[in-house]
Amino acid sequence: MTFPKAYIASEYEKNIYKLWEESGLFKADPNSSKPHFSMSMPPPNETGSLHMGHALFLTLQDIIARHQRQLGKDVLWLPGTDHAALPVNALMEQQLTEQGTNKHEIGREEFKKRTKEFVGNSRNQIISQMRAMGTSADWDKLRYTLDNTLNRCVNEVFFRMFNDDLIYRKYRIVNWDPKLETTVSDDEVEHKEETAPLYTLQYGPFQITTARPETKFGDKYVVMHPDDERYKQYKHDDTFEVEWLNGKVTAKVIKDEAVDMSFGTGVMTITPWHDKTDFEIAERHGLEKDQIIDFTGKLLPIAGKFSGENIEDARPKIVEKLDKLGLLIGVEDKPHNLAVNSRGKGVIEPQIMLQWFVDVNRPAVEWKGQKRSLKEVMRAVVEDGDIKIIPKRFEKIYFHWIDNLRDWCVSRQIWWGHQIPAWRKKGTDDDYVAFRNSTEAENKLGTKNIERDPDTLDTWFSSALWTWSTLIDKVYYEGDKDHEPHRRDNLESLLERSIDFDKYHPTTVMETGYDILFFWVARMILATTYTLRSAGLDEEKSLPFKTVYLHGLVRTEEGRKMSKSDPDSIIDPMEVIPEFGTDALRLALVAGTTAGTDQRVGKSKILANRNFANKLWNIARYIQETVGNNRGEPAPKSLADHWILNLLSISSEAVKKALANFKFHEAYEILYHFVWDDLADWYIEASKTEPNREVLNHVLETTLKIAHPFAPFVTETIWQNLEFEGLLAAQLWPEAADFDHTKAKQFDELKNIISEARRITVAVGVNKPTLLYAKSGLIEQNKELVKRLGRLGDVVEAAKPRGMRLVGAKNDAWLDIDPQIVKAYLANLKVAQKEQERFVKLLESRLSNKAYMQKAPDELVEQTENELRQAKKQLDTISNQLKSMS
RNA sequence: GGGCAAUUAGCUCAACGGCUAGAGCGCUUGAUUCACAUUCAAGAGGUUGCAGGUUCAAAUCCUACAUUGCCCACCA
């Protein structure tokens, strides 16, 4: 096959991917005798299209997966998609509105049916986009967060937690999104700072401040700090009459430490139904709670004539009324934190509702000989080092989150998701009871006339089971009809029969973004440790993963977040790929990545990395054209051969080590410099004097292997073009070839001579000067090489020194340049001399420092001594040269 | 309010106690059609945010400050 001049990625990538996929090498084999390595892919939303965040994690995980295969492991990289409950549900409801209908009109089943159709199409799109990234996942094992197997697991976990009293259904104050009409968890609430008017109102003898006058209708408690001297004449439980919004109310004094004395007047009224703090105060003192706002954000009859009005519309009118009543004392604009739903951006309205919660404080998990709460286990696994988080600083953040964690509200009022597996007798007010499925519910409740809780579960409840639920053999549950007998199997037996679970759990690595540490990583730890321990597995097996690597956000070149609301800020990977190639994109992403840190990516970075792919291509092209694809034992002959084999072995080891430590960026940098600087600019150029077919091919072959995890497409394309055996993707990590260290070092000396000759030539502006050398085996034997690479007119032995001495070389050599011209270089030389003197002094002072000699490691001292010797020698050379010129 | 991080060349970032602080992009000068102009060679450019301290040795550790970003939190 021929090599066109430039590597045009789009011409090869699709075919190359097909080749890999058809070869089956992405498939994991649980029966393999190789060591197993496993990693779950964070499932992208099935409705989304691939963005830079996906591109980053696919790149990093693909590097991990391909590298692990190279290390001779059986690799399972399990892909999936997420049903993205909230966004999809919102999208569907919006569609229905556009069609002039709504979910209640078409009914739950129809809603689910239409949603399934809708997402089914877009799922294929994102999967094909993942393939375009080169994703070497095992597609046969593709899972979905709303498939039957996961549903089976969700029901099982819910059922178990319910029976362990870890799940309860109670009235609690929750975050309610009136726009999407559902609750959201604490973690999904975002606080957005905005400036809003803060009203001061007269409430009986007190002045109170509020940002939300529309919630004040039912206020009948006035709260102050027990130690507040200003109000010591008022006693807890004192009552008094207040002229209020809708006439007279009887107010009661409450003393509570939650009040901040320094804020405003130190007095506040409370709205327990719509405020978390107020709710807690009310709970502490057994106060009444009145609902003011309904679940769609409208005022209730308690608001009198404002009843039925939207709070936004009613607020100014209410303020007006307060003013008329003479109750409004003042208004002041103040910064204020607005709680919004991070998903749909609806403004959160706290409400007291009957919801399902996961109790995080109840000791319920047997963990290392102790009964511990979910919180405690989450803490322990990281504290004990059973799970390692990279970078480590996120461990602190994780602990802090755990310490502040409250019970997790898991029920949602949307329809798209896993419906809560809890039933009761139809038409009753009985408490719902959890069962694994409806048949069990019918049997246990003793009637077929049952109803199921209409709510669905938080999408993270199912995602939390991702690492192990995806390893349960589908055959045991998919298509319930055919496998009816297994439906009633308990979790223990499902796990036991699933060979993947046996071989691949816990997963080796979890690679994901730090932004979902709490949402996902923490919840996987919570649910997995609980469930698997309760199924009788040991602690080790019950971990979801052993190492968590967290990457950062991909930002624009200007450091902005890429966001949908700002389309110009977005770099679409699916546009980059056809233009620059997948490898260019992957390399650009790797080049800027450090664990836990955001990175900026722009076109210029992608371009630079396309050039690297092209460099590899042209190295191969050159070798193919000059020596063909001669393979065979590499027998190094020239000094350059030894030198490159040495560097190849050093670089290969360094890349491997960096990857083992998740230092992707470092690994790539080592590779980059080896390929571009050492291989292309020195070895290949040197080899033009004395091409060594076997070594050239060996170095190319090895380089392709090392580069493959980073740039799979171009390396595999080259491999195929050169008709090397099999697939590059199936090759093992290379072993080092033999070479001679002394000869490798001699080439470094040649490099020194050549570099300096070039430098002087350019600096004094002569063309192709002659290099003179004192009797020297090294230069003499490599005359041609030195002449060509040094861009010299000739290289000849000289009886007497003449011209410009090469001061950096160990061998005596001079550039035969007119003394007049040489003088032009004098200044450079003087600078060099000064620098060298400074360096010598530095080393000398270091060595004459007693403390240094005593305390520094011997190795370092020895190294310093060597350096000093060399530095002195070079200083002499420079000085001598200067002397001869003056 | 609490916590975490960042601050290094014009820009984007590496070095995380020990070679004269490095790379990519950009810039300057030059080369060349012999693998690659998606090239090659050479060069300029840094008191590592500021002030102290610890150490034989500090960009790196400690303290304070400044600026920026992020996370968490019930200030009505």
Side-chain angles (χ1 to χ4, degrees), chain A residues 743-766:
Chain A
K743 288 184 175 160
K745 267 210 151 147
Q746 284 179 331
F747 187 76
D748 276 323
E749 167 70 0
L750 285 179
K751 266 184 78 192
N752 282 342
I753 293 167
I754 292 162
S755 290
E756 196 175 352
R758 282 173 181 170
R759 208 175 309 135
I760 296 168
T761 306
V762 169
V764 303
V766 292

PDB file of all heavy atoms in Angstrom, chain A residues 743-766:
ATOM      1  N   LYS A 743      28.100   3.051  23.163  1.00  0.00           N
ATOM      2  CA  LYS A 743      27.908   3.570  21.810  1.00  0.00           C
ATOM      3  C   LYS A 743      26.771   4.588  21.783  1.00  0.00           C
ATOM      4  O   LYS A 743      26.827   5.595  21.079  1.00  0.00           O
ATOM      5  CB  LYS A 743      27.628   2.424  20.844  1.00  0.00           C
ATOM      6  CG  LYS A 743      28.880   1.622  20.611  1.00  0.00           C
ATOM      7  CD  LYS A 743      28.689   0.540  19.594  1.00  0.00           C
ATOM      8  CE  LYS A 743      30.029  -0.131  19.322  1.00  0.00           C
ATOM      9  NZ  LYS A 743      29.860  -1.465  18.716  1.00  0.00           N
ATOM     10  N   ALA A 744      25.736   4.318  22.565  1.00  0.00           N
ATOM     11  CA  ALA A 744      24.635   5.270  22.643  1.00  0.00           C
ATOM     12  C   ALA A 744      25.146   6.611  23.143  1.00  0.00           C
ATOM     13  O   ALA A 744      24.766   7.664  22.633  1.00  0.00           O
ATOM     14  CB  ALA A 744      23.540   4.735  23.569  1.00  0.00           C
ATOM     15  N   LYS A 745      26.051   6.561  24.110  1.00  0.00           N
ATOM     16  CA  LYS A 745      26.612   7.802  24.671  1.00  0.00           C
ATOM     17  C   LYS A 745      27.463   8.535  23.672  1.00  0.00           C
ATOM     18  O   LYS A 745      27.487   9.772  23.632  1.00  0.00           O
ATOM     19  CB  LYS A 745      27.474   7.458  25.894  1.00  0.00           C
ATOM     20  CG  LYS A 745      26.698   7.529  27.184  1.00  0.00           C
ATOM     21  CD  LYS A 745      27.641   7.918  28.306  1.00  0.00           C
ATOM     22  CE  LYS A 745      26.925   8.674  29.382  1.00  0.00           C
ATOM     23  NZ  LYS A 745      27.439   8.443  30.715  1.00  0.00           N
ATOM     24  N   GLN A 746      28.183   7.763  22.857  1.00  0.00           N
ATOM     25  CA  GLN A 746      29.034   8.397  21.840  1.00  0.00           C
ATOM     26  C   GLN A 746      28.199   9.192  20.854  1.00  0.00           C
ATOM     27  O   GLN A 746      28.624  10.223  20.353  1.00  0.00           O
ATOM     28  CB  GLN A 746      29.846   7.332  21.110  1.00  0.00           C
ATOM     29  CG  GLN A 746      30.988   6.831  21.963  1.00  0.00           C
ATOM     30  CD  GLN A 746      31.786   5.756  21.261  1.00  0.00           C
ATOM     31  OE1 GLN A 746      31.260   5.007  20.432  1.00  0.00           O
ATOM     32  NE2 GLN A 746      33.062   5.668  21.602  1.00  0.00           N
ATOM     33  N   PHE A 747      27.015   8.713  20.603  1.00  0.00           N
ATOM     34  CA  PHE A 747      26.157   9.463  19.688  1.00  0.00           C
ATOM     35  C   PHE A 747      25.755  10.803  20.308  1.00  0.00           C
ATOM     36  O   PHE A 747      25.603  11.793  19.607  1.00  0.00           O
ATOM     37  CB  PHE A 747      24.912   8.651  19.296  1.00  0.00           C
ATOM     38  CG  PHE A 747      24.105   9.328  18.216  1.00  0.00           C
ATOM     39  CD1 PHE A 747      24.529   9.312  16.895  1.00  0.00           C
ATOM     40  CD2 PHE A 747      22.921   9.996  18.514  1.00  0.00           C
ATOM     41  CE1 PHE A 747      23.806   9.951  15.895  1.00  0.00           C
ATOM     42  CE2 PHE A 747      22.190  10.643  17.521  1.00  0.00           C
ATOM     43  CZ  PHE A 747      22.634  10.620  16.208  1.00  0.00           C
ATOM     44  N   ASP A 748      25.587  10.792  21.620  1.00  0.00           N
ATOM     45  CA  ASP A 748      25.286  12.057  22.288  1.00  0.00           C
ATOM     46  C   ASP A 748      26.397  13.073  22.069  1.00  0.00           C
ATOM     47  O   ASP A 748      26.140  14.253  21.887  1.00  0.00           O
ATOM     48  CB  ASP A 748      25.082  11.838  23.798  1.00  0.00           C
ATOM     49  CG  ASP A 748      23.661  11.397  24.115  1.00  0.00           C
ATOM     50  OD1 ASP A 748      22.728  11.895  23.454  1.00  0.00           O
ATOM     51  OD2 ASP A 748      23.480  10.557  25.012  1.00  0.00           O
ATOM     52  N   GLU A 749      27.624  12.594  22.071  1.00  0.00           N
ATOM     53  CA  GLU A 749      28.760  13.493  21.817  1.00  0.00           C
ATOM     54  C   GLU A 749      28.706  14.029  20.378  1.00  0.00           C
ATOM     55  O   GLU A 749      28.906  15.211  20.136  1.00  0.00           O
ATOM     56  CB  GLU A 749      30.076  12.763  22.089  1.00  0.00           C
ATOM     57  CG  GLU A 749      31.334  13.445  21.572  1.00  0.00           C
ATOM     58  CD  GLU A 749      31.700  14.733  22.320  1.00  0.00           C
ATOM     59  OE1 GLU A 749      30.957  15.107  23.255  1.00  0.00           O
ATOM     60  OE2 GLU A 749      32.706  15.382  21.952  1.00  0.00           O
ATOM     61  N   LEU A 750      28.355  13.152  19.462  1.00  0.00           N
ATOM     62  CA  LEU A 750      28.212  13.609  18.073  1.00  0.00           C
ATOM     63  C   LEU A 750      27.131  14.687  17.986  1.00  0.00           C
ATOM     64  O   LEU A 750      27.264  15.684  17.289  1.00  0.00           O
ATOM     65  CB  LEU A 750      27.855  12.443  17.153  1.00  0.00           C
ATOM     66  CG  LEU A 750      28.981  11.473  16.806  1.00  0.00           C
ATOM     67  CD1 LEU A 750      28.458  10.372  15.905  1.00  0.00           C
ATOM     68  CD2 LEU A 750      30.149  12.207  16.138  1.00  0.00           C
ATOM     69  N   LYS A 751      26.036  14.442  18.717  1.00  0.00           N
ATOM     70  CA  LYS A 751      24.942  15.406  18.738  1.00  0.00           C
ATOM     71  C   LYS A 751      25.431  16.769  19.242  1.00  0.00           C
ATOM     72  O   LYS A 751      25.065  17.802  18.699  1.00  0.00           O
ATOM     73  CB  LYS A 751      23.831  14.921  19.685  1.00  0.00           C
ATOM     74  CG  LYS A 751      22.731  14.157  18.995  1.00  0.00           C
ATOM     75  CD  LYS A 751      21.621  13.799  19.999  1.00  0.00           C
ATOM     76  CE  LYS A 751      20.737  14.983  20.296  1.00  0.00           C
ATOM     77  NZ  LYS A 751      19.856  14.753  21.454  1.00  0.00           N
ATOM     78  N   ASN A 752      26.242  16.720  20.294  1.00  0.00           N
ATOM     79  CA  ASN A 752      26.798  17.959  20.840  1.00  0.00           C
ATOM     80  C   ASN A 752      27.585  18.713  19.790  1.00  0.00           C
ATOM     81  O   ASN A 752      27.446  19.920  19.631  1.00  0.00           O
ATOM     82  CB  ASN A 752      27.739  17.666  22.009  1.00  0.00           C
ATOM     83  CG  ASN A 752      26.970  17.373  23.280  1.00  0.00           C
ATOM     84  OD1 ASN A 752      25.783  17.700  23.369  1.00  0.00           O
ATOM     85  ND2 ASN A 752      27.613  16.745  24.233  1.00  0.00           N
ATOM     86  N   ILE A 753      28.439  17.969  19.103  1.00  0.00           N
ATOM     87  CA  ILE A 753      29.294  18.591  18.087  1.00  0.00           C
ATOM     88  C   ILE A 753      28.428  19.216  16.990  1.00  0.00           C
ATOM     89  O   ILE A 753      28.614  20.371  16.602  1.00  0.00           O
ATOM     90  CB  ILE A 753      30.261  17.534  17.498  1.00  0.00           C
ATOM     91  CG1 ILE A 753      31.257  17.096  18.595  1.00  0.00           C
ATOM     92  CG2 ILE A 753      30.979  18.075  16.263  1.00  0.00           C
ATOM     93  CD1 ILE A 753      32.044  15.851  18.248  1.00  0.00           C
ATOM     94  N   ILE A 754      27.467  18.435  16.539  1.00  0.00           N
ATOM     95  CA  ILE A 754      26.606  18.905  15.452  1.00  0.00           C
ATOM     96  C   ILE A 754      25.810  20.137  15.870  1.00  0.00           C
ATOM     97  O   ILE A 754      25.736  21.134  15.157  1.00  0.00           O
ATOM     98  CB  ILE A 754      25.665  17.762  14.998  1.00  0.00           C
ATOM     99  CG1 ILE A 754      26.486  16.656  14.312  1.00  0.00           C
ATOM    100  CG2 ILE A 754      24.571  18.291  14.074  1.00  0.00           C
ATOM    101  CD1 ILE A 754      25.767  15.336  14.208  1.00  0.00           C
ATOM    102  N   SER A 755      25.218  20.058  17.069  1.00  0.00           N
ATOM    103  CA  SER A 755      24.389  21.175  17.542  1.00  0.00           C
ATOM    104  C   SER A 755      25.205  22.450  17.645  1.00  0.00           C
ATOM    105  O   SER A 755      24.760  23.514  17.250  1.00  0.00           O
ATOM    106  CB  SER A 755      23.794  20.855  18.909  1.00  0.00           C
ATOM    107  OG  SER A 755      22.829  19.860  18.773  1.00  0.00           O
ATOM    108  N   GLU A 756      26.402  22.309  18.172  1.00  0.00           N
ATOM    109  CA  GLU A 756      27.184  23.519  18.366  1.00  0.00           C
ATOM    110  C   GLU A 756      27.651  24.093  17.035  1.00  0.00           C
ATOM    111  O   GLU A 756      27.636  25.313  16.833  1.00  0.00           O
ATOM    112  CB  GLU A 756      28.381  23.252  19.278  1.00  0.00           C
ATOM    113  CG  GLU A 756      28.937  24.563  19.783  1.00  0.00           C
ATOM    114  CD  GLU A 756      30.057  24.384  20.781  1.00  0.00           C
ATOM    115  OE1 GLU A 756      30.308  23.239  21.200  1.00  0.00           O
ATOM    116  OE2 GLU A 756      30.677  25.401  21.124  1.00  0.00           O
ATOM    117  N   ALA A 757      28.006  23.209  16.140  1.00  0.00           N
ATOM    118  CA  ALA A 757      28.407  23.666  14.806  1.00  0.00           C
ATOM    119  C   ALA A 757      27.259  24.445  14.159  1.00  0.00           C
ATOM    120  O   ALA A 757      27.442  25.508  13.584  1.00  0.00           O
ATOM    121  CB  ALA A 757      28.808  22.477  13.943  1.00  0.00           C
ATOM    122  N   ARG A 758      26.053  23.928  14.330  1.00  0.00           N
ATOM    123  CA  ARG A 758      24.886  24.614  13.759  1.00  0.00           C
ATOM    124  C   ARG A 758      24.697  25.981  14.405  1.00  0.00           C
ATOM    125  O   ARG A 758      24.430  26.970  13.734  1.00  0.00           O
ATOM    126  CB  ARG A 758      23.628  23.811  14.051  1.00  0.00           C
ATOM    127  CG  ARG A 758      23.408  22.589  13.175  1.00  0.00           C
ATOM    128  CD  ARG A 758      22.205  21.864  13.750  1.00  0.00           C
ATOM    129  NE  ARG A 758      21.873  20.649  13.044  1.00  0.00           N
ATOM    130  CZ  ARG A 758      20.976  19.768  13.495  1.00  0.00           C
ATOM    131  NH1 ARG A 758      20.366  19.991  14.647  1.00  0.00           N
ATOM    132  NH2 ARG A 758      20.695  18.694  12.810  1.00  0.00           N
ATOM    133  N   ARG A 759      24.821  25.996  15.706  1.00  0.00           N
ATOM    134  CA  ARG A 759      24.565  27.224  16.440  1.00  0.00           C
ATOM    135  C   ARG A 759      25.522  28.332  15.982  1.00  0.00           C
ATOM    136  O   ARG A 759      25.118  29.441  15.684  1.00  0.00           O
ATOM    137  CB  ARG A 759      24.728  26.968  17.941  1.00  0.00           C
ATOM    138  CG  ARG A 759      23.878  27.875  18.820  1.00  0.00           C
ATOM    139  CD  ARG A 759      23.992  27.495  20.284  1.00  0.00           C
ATOM    140  NE  ARG A 759      23.766  26.063  20.502  1.00  0.00           N
ATOM    141  CZ  ARG A 759      24.518  25.294  21.283  1.00  0.00           C
ATOM    142  NH1 ARG A 759      25.562  25.796  21.910  1.00  0.00           N
ATOM    143  NH2 ARG A 759      24.244  24.016  21.430  1.00  0.00           N
ATOM    144  N   ILE A 760      26.803  27.972  15.908  1.00  0.00           N
ATOM    145  CA  ILE A 760      27.808  28.968  15.528  1.00  0.00           C
ATOM    146  C   ILE A 760      27.579  29.408  14.089  1.00  0.00           C
ATOM    147  O   ILE A 760      27.604  30.592  13.769  1.00  0.00           O
ATOM    148  CB  ILE A 760      29.232  28.395  15.698  1.00  0.00           C
ATOM    149  CG1 ILE A 760      29.484  28.088  17.174  1.00  0.00           C
ATOM    150  CG2 ILE A 760      30.270  29.373  15.168  1.00  0.00           C
ATOM    151  CD1 ILE A 760      30.721  27.272  17.436  1.00  0.00           C
ATOM    152  N   THR A 761      27.304  28.444  13.250  1.00  0.00           N
ATOM    153  CA  THR A 761      27.090  28.741  11.839  1.00  0.00           C
ATOM    154  C   THR A 761      25.989  29.783  11.672  1.00  0.00           C
ATOM    155  O   THR A 761      26.140  30.759  10.947  1.00  0.00           O
ATOM    156  CB  THR A 761      26.706  27.454  11.086  1.00  0.00           C
ATOM    157  OG1 THR A 761      27.699  26.469  11.352  1.00  0.00           O
ATOM    158  CG2 THR A 761      26.630  27.703   9.598  1.00  0.00           C
ATOM    159  N   VAL A 762      24.874  29.534  12.360  1.00  0.00           N
ATOM    160  CA  VAL A 762      23.743  30.450  12.256  1.00  0.00           C
ATOM    161  C   VAL A 762      24.096  31.803  12.869  1.00  0.00           C
ATOM    162  O   VAL A 762      23.823  32.858  12.286  1.00  0.00           O
ATOM    163  CB  VAL A 762      22.495  29.859  12.939  1.00  0.00           C
ATOM    164  CG1 VAL A 762      21.404  30.912  13.055  1.00  0.00           C
ATOM    165  CG2 VAL A 762      21.993  28.653  12.185  1.00  0.00           C
ATOM    166  N   ALA A 763      24.768  31.749  14.030  1.00  0.00           N
ATOM    167  CA  ALA A 763      25.036  32.988  14.757  1.00  0.00           C
ATOM    168  C   ALA A 763      25.986  33.920  13.996  1.00  0.00           C
ATOM    169  O   ALA A 763      25.788  35.121  13.985  1.00  0.00           O
ATOM    170  CB  ALA A 763      25.594  32.677  16.135  1.00  0.00           C
ATOM    171  N   VAL A 764      26.999  33.353  13.356  1.00  0.00           N
ATOM    172  CA  VAL A 764      27.944  34.224  12.653  1.00  0.00           C
ATOM    173  C   VAL A 764      27.543  34.406  11.189  1.00  0.00           C
ATOM    174  O   VAL A 764      28.137  35.221  10.483  1.00  0.00           O
ATOM    175  CB  VAL A 764      29.404  33.710  12.741  1.00  0.00           C
ATOM    176  CG1 VAL A 764      29.807  33.563  14.189  1.00  0.00           C
ATOM    177  CG2 VAL A 764      29.574  32.411  11.982  1.00  0.00           C
ATOM    178  N   GLY A 765      26.582  33.647  10.770  1.00  0.00           N
ATOM    179  CA  GLY A 765      26.028  33.855   9.436  1.00  0.00           C
ATOM    180  C   GLY A 765      26.909  33.389   8.294  1.00  0.00           C
ATOM    181  O   GLY A 765      26.912  33.994   7.230  1.00  0.00           O
ATOM    182  N   VAL A 766      27.662  32.314   8.534  1.00  0.00           N
ATOM    183  CA  VAL A 766      28.446  31.764   7.421  1.00  0.00           C
ATOM    184  C   VAL A 766      27.689  30.602   6.802  1.00  0.00           C
ATOM    185  O   VAL A 766      26.790  30.026   7.417  1.00  0.00           O
ATOM    186  CB  VAL A 766      29.833  31.270   7.872  1.00  0.00           C
ATOM    187  CG1 VAL A 766      30.674  32.454   8.291  1.00  0.00           C
ATOM    188  CG2 VAL A 766      29.725  30.231   8.956  1.00  0.00           C
TER     189      VAL A 766
END
